[in-house]
Amino acid sequence: MRVWIILAGLLLIPEVQAQSAGIPAISVDGGSADGATYSVTLEILALMTVLTLLPAFLLMMTSFTRIIIVMSILRQALGTAQTPSNQIILGLALFLTLFIMSPVFEQVNQVAVQPYMQGDLSAITALTEAAEPFKAFMLAQTRETDIRMFADIAGVTEIESPEKTPLTLLMPAFVTSELKTAFQIGFLIFIPFVVIDLVVASVLMSMGMMMLSPMIISLPFKLMLFVLVDGWSLIMGTLASSFLVVN
């Protein structure tokens, strides 16, 4: 998360003088001679505002969306209600996202963060350099048809090369592609569990036990199947390998 905070700071810290102007925040009137005004600098105010956008950046520019959707579909396919809990699923998705995105974060650190901290790049230049690794990662995961659709909506008739795709087009196209891919993986996950439900329901109906919920009987079999095939390792490995990481 330190890389995200530094990137947000790059966006918001202009090259100004050491004594930057502030805006009035709190005024204390103690009389004609004792009045005082406390101010907050514009840079700090803007930084605190953009920090609230970090969750949106996490969803729009990383692998988090695909992972969290697949995890949620897996929980529904197992039929375990709130197990694992939302906190556990969010934690798994977050740390798996950090694992998948670590090459991108390291590249951003090398080409933008470190040069900026050493004074070799200006804030705007560092921000531009930091966006390139994320654009390369998103382009590797985004379908060309999705980019073309949003380009048609925006009225963009021609893009010189994929690398020249503006972020305003790439980000929604990337999210749309991630949703499609996540639902495709979820469909494949659902199939074996649906088969178990159908078999159990058919057996119960043939035995005349129509008042017994098939979910109660099928749940242990689904859990046993998931454990026997080492399901968690398969899911994590499949999700990690489904991303084309561009170094």
Side-chain angles (χ1 to χ4, degrees), residues 10-225:
L10 293 177
L11 179 64
L12 301 165
I13 303 176
E15 298 176 355
V16 295
Q17 299 177 353
Q19 298 292 333
S20 57
I23 57 175
I26 302 175
S27 297
V28 179
D29 189 4
S32 59
D34 299 330
T37 300
Y38 299 94
S39 64
V40 178
T41 62
L42 290 173
E43 292 84 359
I44 296 177
L45 180 62
L47 176 61
M48 297 303 295
T49 301
V50 169
L51 285 178
T52 61
L53 300 177
L54 285 179
F57 289 140
L58 179 68
L59 293 175
M60 296 287 288
M61 301 176 67
T62 68
S63 58
F64 184 83
T65 301
R66 183 189 304 184
I67 297 170
I68 195 66
I69 291 177
V70 171
M71 292 292 184
S72 300
I73 292 177
L74 172 64
R75 185 173 63 180
Q76 293 180 7
L78 286 171
T80 53
Q82 296 299 317
T83 304
S85 63
N86 292 331
Q87 291 83 356
I88 294 177
I89 289 181
L90 286 172
L92 286 173
L94 179 60
F95 283 102
L96 192 56
T97 298
L98 293 177
F99 171 76
I100 294 171
M101 298 296 297
S102 58
V104 179
F105 291 152
E106 296 220 358
Q107 189 175 359
V108 171
N109 184 57
Q110 292 175 2
V111 302
V113 176
Q114 292 301 326
Y116 173 77
M117 296 180 67
Q118 295 171 5
D120 298 333
L121 294 178
S122 64
I124 301 301
T125 305
L127 181 62
T128 303
E129 293 293 330
E132 293 303 320
F134 284 100
K135 288 183 66 175
F137 173 80
M138 290 189 290
L139 282 170
Q141 323 302 325
T142 306
R143 294 173 174 83
E144 184 180 348
T145 54
D146 294 326
I147 297 178
R148 188 181 301 115
M149 178 190 69
F150 283 100
D152 293 339
I153 294 174
V156 178
T157 57
E158 184 178 355
I159 300 176
E160 297 179 4
S161 64
E163 292 75 16
K164 299 295 183 180
T165 305
L167 280 175
T168 53
L169 294 179
L170 183 57
M171 291 175 69
F174 170 72
V175 173
T176 303
S177 293
E178 287 294 282
L179 291 174
K180 291 180 181 178
T181 305
F183 276 89
Q184 288 174 354
I185 297 175
F187 171 76
L188 297 177
I189 292 174
F190 241 105
I191 291 177
F193 299 112
V194 170
V195 171
I196 293 176
D197 286 333
L198 290 174
V199 171
V200 171
S202 300
V203 171
L204 290 178
M205 290 188 65
S206 64
M207 296 175 62
M209 304 175 65
M210 292 177 292
M211 299 301 295
L212 182 61
S213 174
M215 293 297 296
I216 299 177
I217 307 300
S218 63
L219 179 58
F221 291 99
K222 290 191 288 187
L223 293 177
M224 181 180 63
L225 173 66

